[in-house]
């Protein structure tokens, strides 16, 4: 708790609930005891062929691996901010002596702080590392979100972002937008984009759409696993398609991914 309070701006109003600091009203009621090992942690860290969103999660996980390798080059204990942290699936990827702070708007999370990403309670230039995984699409004002992220980050802080693109509505009613890679470049034009990747090509998206259709219509039934596996194998095969040396076809192939992931170095 002391390590968290050191990062906060002075003279702010909040109340505590257990070990959490509450700065805003949460967007949903607490549903009871938090799970000790929620399945989403495995989904994010070790995506499997039987997962409906395997292709997108697999791509995001690879970018996260590159991100962790870059953060390992930073010296000393790291101060890490996980925005929209949920169950903090990436926490175990970082050194145990890191000051890892999770922020979310839901008490049904592992968040240390309940706060709005558009008005973060932290001091300027506080964090070495920032994670915003599948959260930017839930921002009602992406410019203010990035402004706050930048404010609380140190110069040369590393930022990991992942977000869906061609993907169903989720987290209703707090699903506000889908951003193209060109909008992402615009948002971070004053910083250094180290990596910006599409999760997959337009052909493999067709097979992922089939998975998404069954997921939406029939829910999370384990009986759907064979369908997901079959479609994911076809999607992986489609990923090997290489267009001829044609600029239009190369652009078209990348024009309809399920999502994007990027690594940014903050410049101040």
């Amino acid at each position: 708790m002391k390590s968290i309070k050191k990062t906060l701006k002075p003279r702010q109003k909040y109340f505590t609930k257990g070990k959490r600091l509450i700065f805003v009203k949460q967007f949903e009621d607490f549903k009871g005891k938090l799970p000790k090992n929620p399945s989403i942690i495995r989904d994010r860290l070790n995506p499997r062929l039987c997962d409906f969103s395997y292709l997108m999660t697999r791509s995001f996980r690879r970018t996260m691996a590159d991100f962790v390798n870059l953060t390992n080059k930073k010296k000393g204990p790291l101060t890490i901010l996980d925005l929209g942290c949920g169950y903090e699936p990436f926490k175990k990827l970082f050194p145990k002596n890191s000051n890892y702070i999770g922020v979310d708007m839901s008490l049904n999370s592992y968040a240390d702080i309940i706060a709005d990403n558009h008005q973060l309670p932290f001091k300027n230039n506080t964090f070495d590392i920032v994670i915003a995984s599948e959260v930017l699409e839930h921002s009602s004002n992406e410019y203010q979100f990035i402004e706050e992220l930048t404010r609380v980050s140190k110069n040369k802080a590393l930022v990991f972002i992942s977000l869906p693109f061609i993907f169903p509505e989720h987290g209703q009613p707090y699903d506000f937008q889908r951003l193209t890679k060109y909008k992402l470049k615009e948002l971070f034009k004053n910083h250094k984009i180290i990596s910006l990747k599409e999760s997959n090509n337009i052909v493999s998206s067709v097979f992922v759409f089939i998975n998404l259709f069954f997921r939406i219509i029939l829910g999370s039934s384990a009986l759907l696993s064979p369908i997901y596996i079959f479609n994911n194998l076809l999607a992986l095969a489609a990923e090997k398609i290489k267009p001829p040396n044609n600029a239009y076809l190369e652009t078209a192939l990348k024009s309809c991914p399920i999502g994007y992931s990027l690594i940014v170095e903050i410049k101040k």
Side-chain angles (χ1 to χ4, degrees):
M1 182 70 77
K2 289 183 179 180
S3 61
I4 293 175
K5 287 185 176 181
K6 287 180 180 179
T7 67
L8 300 176
K9 293 187 289 188
R11 296 183 297 278
Q12 292 187 99
K13 294 182 179 180
Y14 63 86
F15 66 92
T16 60
K17 191 167 187 177
K19 295 182 178 180
R20 306 190 200 209
L21 306 183
I22 315 294
F23 289 86
V24 295
K25 182 180 179 181
Q26 64 275 12
F27 67 70
E28 62 180 354
D29 293 329
F30 188 46
K31 296 178 181 178
K33 191 175 181 180
L34 292 171
K36 291 184 178 180
N37 189 27
S39 60
I40 193 171
I41 293 180
R42 195 282 302 163
D43 295 345
R44 295 291 183 89
L45 296 182
N46 300 296
R48 298 173 183 170
L49 277 171
C50 59
D51 297 336
F52 77 98
S53 60
Y54 169 75
L55 215 64
M56 181 175 74
T57 310
R58 170 177 175 263
S59 175
F60 292 176
R61 183 66 181 86
R62 289 180 170 182
T63 302
M64 173 55 77
D66 294 338
F67 182 73
V68 171
N69 288 335
L70 288 173
T71 64
N72 287 339
K73 297 177 182 179
K74 288 185 171 288
K75 297 180 180 179
L78 301 174
T79 305
I80 302 172
L81 176 61
D82 189 345
L83 295 172
C85 65
Y87 293 125
E88 298 182 346
F90 304 118
K91 184 174 183 177
K92 60 177 63 178
L93 300 178
F94 297 92
K96 291 184 178 180
N97 65 343
S98 302
N99 184 14
Y100 195 105
I101 300 175
V103 173
D104 208 293
M105 284 283 284
S106 173
L107 285 171
N108 297 296
S109 69
Y110 289 172
D112 304 288
I113 289 177
I114 304 300
D116 188 338
N117 291 334
H118 300 84
Q119 295 178 318
L120 295 171
F122 306 107
K123 299 174 184 176
N124 296 349
N125 307 309
T126 295
F127 295 97
D128 305 288
I129 307 296
V130 179
I131 299 167
S133 180
E134 280 89 289
V135 66
L136 189 52
E137 72 272 20
H138 300 292
S139 171
S140 59
N141 186 328
E142 65 273 22
Y143 288 99
Q144 187 175 350
F145 178 97
I146 300 303
E147 182 178 337
E148 275 293 272
L149 182 155
T150 301
R151 180 186 66 78
V152 302
S153 298
K154 296 178 181 178
N155 184 41
K156 295 188 176 182
L158 292 173
V159 178
F160 170 86
I161 289 179
S162 61
L163 68 165
F165 183 57
I166 305 299
F167 200 82
E169 292 180 354
H170 57 284
Q172 295 95 331
Y174 302 100
D175 189 358
F176 297 120
Q177 59 185 332
R178 298 291 182 267
L179 305 179
T180 67
K181 62 184 175 183
Y182 306 105
K183 183 57 176 288
L184 293 170
K185 290 178 180 179
E186 170 68 19
L187 288 172
F188 290 102
K189 64 183 179 181
N190 296 323
H191 307 286
K192 180 181 178 182
I193 297 178
I194 297 173
S195 173
L196 173 53
K197 297 179 180 178
E198 302 89 358
S199 61
N200 61 291
N201 66 36
I202 191 172
V203 182
S204 59
S205 285
V206 173
F207 303 105
V208 180
F209 292 157
I210 298 173
N211 285 350
L212 293 172
F213 171 80
F214 281 104
R215 173 74 177 193
I216 293 170
I217 299 301
L218 300 178
S220 57
S221 172
L223 297 176
L224 294 173
S225 292
I227 295 175
Y228 296 157
I229 292 171
F230 179 72
N231 285 318
N232 285 332
L233 287 172
L234 291 175
L236 289 174
E239 281 296 289
K240 297 181 180 180
I241 294 175
K242 301 296 181 183
N245 188 18
N246 180 295
Y248 171 76
L249 290 177
E250 289 179 0
T251 300
L253 198 64
K254 297 178 179 179
S255 65
C256 195
I258 301 300
Y260 292 104
S261 57
L262 62 159
I263 301 172
V264 178
E265 182 180 75
I266 297 297
K267 297 292 185 183
K268 292 189 173 183

